[in-house]
């Protein structure tokens, strides 16, 4: 049975990483890792598909019980983590397992599993990033500015931490999707998958 591959995709909010992730998943027959989170469910979320929504107490139990491969407090007071068991199962079954997680989580993954392949999705420039955050328009300006500052800090952290194998610039979504799929496919090919 061939060994599977662990793929980490990160990028700031508003950069199109979820769309890219889902295309990679579909085109390369990957498995999307459903994270647990303590944030509240929104109408756009489906329990068990986008996230497993859990209480802070349950999250702590899972974390302390060794059920999470990595975890991070992504927003103040809101924790996100990757359940370990599905990752182990997918890798053992020779599948491509895809984690869409933040930089702190990706750093933990690379420490534990250096063979993981990691992509970071970048906006073409700051102006476009701010426009995309505004277009989402579900938040007030102060919150948009906070997200913008966080996104810029996350990009700098991604460059500095040195754990990302590739950076994909999303100038045009179709092009970025094709590039991400080609990079992951090439890596699988090189590893003999
Ligand atoms: P959102 O709440 O907008 O869906 O996601 C917020 C952020 O949390 C995104 O940047 C996403 O990549 C990150 N995230 C989602 N799941 C996990 C996880 O399991 N672990 C870590 N470290 N970050 C996650």
């Amino acid at each position: 049975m061939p060994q599977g591959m662990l793929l980490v995709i990160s990028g700031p909010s508003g950069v199109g990483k979820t769309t890219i992730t889902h295309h990679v998943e579909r085109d390369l027959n990957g498995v999307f890792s459903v994270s647990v989170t303590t944030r509240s469910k929104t109408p756009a979320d489906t329990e068990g598909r986008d996230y497993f929504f859990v209480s802070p107490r349950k999250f702590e139990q899972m974390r302390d019980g060794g059920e999470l491969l990595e975890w991070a407090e992504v927003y103040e007071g809101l924790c996100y983590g990757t359940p370990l068991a599905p990752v182990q199962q997918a890798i053992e079954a020779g599948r491509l397992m895809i984690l869409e997680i933040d930089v702190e989580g990706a750093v933990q993954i690379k420490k534990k599993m250096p063979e993981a392949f990691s992509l970071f999705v970048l906006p073409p420039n700051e102006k476009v990033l701010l426009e995309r955050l505004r277009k989402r328009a579900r938040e007030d300006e102060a919150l948009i500015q906070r997200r913008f500052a966080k996104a810029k800090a996350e990009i700098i952290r991604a460059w500095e931490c040195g754990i990302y194998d590739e950076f994909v610039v999303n100038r045009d979504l179709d092009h970025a999707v094709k590039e991400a799929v080609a990079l992951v496919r090439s890596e699988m090919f090189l590893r003999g998958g």
Side-chain angles (χ1 to χ4, degrees):
M1 178 78 77
Q3 270 287 298
M5 188 169 100
L6 190 60
L7 169 65
V8 174
I9 300 185
S10 309
S13 131
V15 81
K17 69 176 181 299
T18 304
T19 309
I20 293 173
T21 300
H22 285 120
H23 273 86
V24 171
E25 179 193 0
R26 202 196 54 200
D27 290 7
L28 300 178
N29 192 25
V31 184
F32 179 73
S33 162
V34 182
S35 298
V36 286
T37 181
T38 62
R39 88 150 159 77
S40 319
K41 184 173 171 292
T42 69
D45 295 311
T46 303
E47 164 79 26
R49 191 192 68 190
D50 299 303
Y51 287 105
F52 295 109
F53 295 91
V54 297
S55 65
R57 197 181 144 74
K58 172 77 181 161
F59 191 93
E60 272 171 32
Q61 278 171 358
M62 292 181 78
R63 185 194 63 197
D64 298 345
E67 291 177 48
L68 301 180
L69 176 58
E70 62 73 38
W71 73 277
E73 185 177 329
V74 178
Y75 299 114
E76 216 170 298
L78 300 180
C79 293
Y80 294 73
T82 302
L84 173 63
V87 174
Q88 285 174 330
Q89 282 158 17
I91 299 296
E92 275 162 26
R95 304 285 302 272
L96 171 69
M97 185 65 173
I98 308 169
L99 274 51
E100 189 199 312
I101 60 174
D102 80 339
V103 176
E104 295 319 314
V107 168
Q108 294 172 47
I109 295 286
K110 276 283 196 170
K111 266 197 200 130
K112 287 188 187 162
M113 306 172 86
E115 69 284 5
F117 186 62
S118 52
L119 292 183
F120 190 89
V121 184
L122 283 169
N125 55 52
E126 288 188 3
K127 194 166 161 272
V128 170
L129 175 63
L130 185 57
E131 276 164 15
R132 287 185 189 160
L133 287 172
R134 283 222 173 94
K135 255 198 211 137
R136 293 183 152 196
R138 24 173 188 140
E139 291 129 0
D140 60 52
E141 186 59 24
L143 197 61
I144 290 169
Q145 288 298 336
R146 279 212 298 282
R147 292 226 163 180
F148 183 49
K150 185 174 159 57
K152 286 193 286 184
E154 190 163 23
I155 291 169
I156 291 167
R157 174 90 177 102
W159 282 323
E160 288 180 351
C161 72
I163 58 120
Y164 286 95
D165 296 299
E166 298 284 351
F167 287 82
V168 172
V169 181
N170 180 10
R171 274 188 200 85
D172 164 80
L173 191 57
D174 279 353
H175 188 270
V177 163
K178 283 194 186 117
E179 192 181 339
V181 170
L183 285 167
V184 177
R185 184 173 274 155
S186 305
E187 186 62 27
M188 291 166 80
F189 173 77
L190 292 172
R191 292 180 185 201

